[in-house]
Amino acid sequence: MPTITPLEPDALELLDAEHRALRRLFQDYRTLAAQRAPEMRRKALAEQICLELTIHAKLEDELFYPLVRESVRAGDLMDRAEVEHASLRELVVQILSMDPHEELYDAKVSVLGDYAAHHFGEELDAVFPRVRASGLDLRRLGQRLAERRRELQAVPEALREELLASVLA
């Protein structure tokens, strides 16, 4: 088992870095939409956003939230987070099922960005301080999150199919 060094990000640093990266991607999309960039450029960036947001949500759903729910006793916050994830997932599926020339495509990507920013803010302000104060081994959890992220990044098409299938279920 690899040794965790103090230079490796802890779980909260890793998740917050993902939040910042996603915010930048959403800003890049808004710029492309405002410039009326070619459809394929917008679609490629929208799909990248959807993939990154899906990976981020899976990391939280599989590893972070269960531990927080159990250790921090933040059931109310985790309930809200799960509902927010479901709303985000629904918009992601809608976006992945559309083409950029369709009405409301850009609006849906923009609203997805707004919902995500709200969700990230709640985590940063309400969840992360409680987790930081809990005494959880955030370095170890950060390592587990990073490992799982690599696994999920290796199968992007499987993630896409799983998302689209979840709507039909």
Side-chain angles (χ1 to χ4, degrees):
M1 173 179 294
T3 303
I4 301 172
T5 67
L7 300 175
E8 293 181 35
D10 71 22
L12 301 182
E13 293 165 345
L14 187 141
L15 293 172
D16 192 44
E18 290 183 1
H19 292 167
R20 288 190 310 275
L22 280 159
R23 280 189 175 109
R24 282 190 298 275
L25 289 174
F26 279 113
Q27 183 54 50
D28 291 347
Y29 188 89
R30 285 186 178 97
T31 299
L32 288 180
Q35 295 170 347
R36 301 199 185 288
E39 289 181 359
M40 293 316 298
R41 281 188 64 201
R42 292 190 347 265
K43 183 173 181 70
L45 183 53
E47 289 190 356
Q48 179 185 357
I49 288 168
C50 290
L51 175 65
E52 290 300 324
L53 192 57
T54 298
I55 290 172
H56 179 78
K58 281 187 83 60
L59 293 175
E60 289 182 340
D61 290 341
E62 292 177 5
L63 299 171
F64 186 67
Y65 288 170
L67 192 57
V68 171
R69 188 179 287 278
E70 177 184 306
S71 303
V72 181
R73 302 202 190 287
D76 56 328
L77 292 172
M78 295 300 92
D79 291 346
R80 286 177 53 90
E82 287 181 25
V83 170
E84 289 171 352
H85 275 197
S87 295
L88 292 169
R89 196 169 24 258
E90 192 174 303
L91 266 174
V92 163
V93 168
Q94 290 176 30
I95 292 164
L96 291 175
S97 301
M98 296 175 75
D99 287 318
H101 67 273
E102 292 183 59
E103 192 174 345
L104 302 181
Y105 185 85
D106 290 336
K108 287 185 182 198
V109 176
S110 180
V111 168
L112 179 63
D114 293 344
Y115 283 8
H118 171 79
H119 176 71
F120 299 159
E122 282 197 352
E123 285 183 342
L124 190 62
D125 296 340
V127 177
F128 287 10
R130 290 174 73 174
V131 171
R132 179 104 28 228
S134 72
L136 287 171
D137 185 350
L138 296 176
R139 295 272 174 219
R140 175 68 184 129
L141 180 56
Q143 182 182 37
R144 290 177 56 212
L145 289 168
E147 289 169 2
R148 182 65 176 137
R149 170 170 265 291
R150 286 188 292 275
E151 292 170 2
L152 293 169
Q153 285 174 316
V155 291
E157 273 309 305
L159 281 174
R160 180 188 175 99
E161 293 305 315
E162 177 184 318
L163 263 175
L164 295 174
S166 71
V167 172
L168 302 174

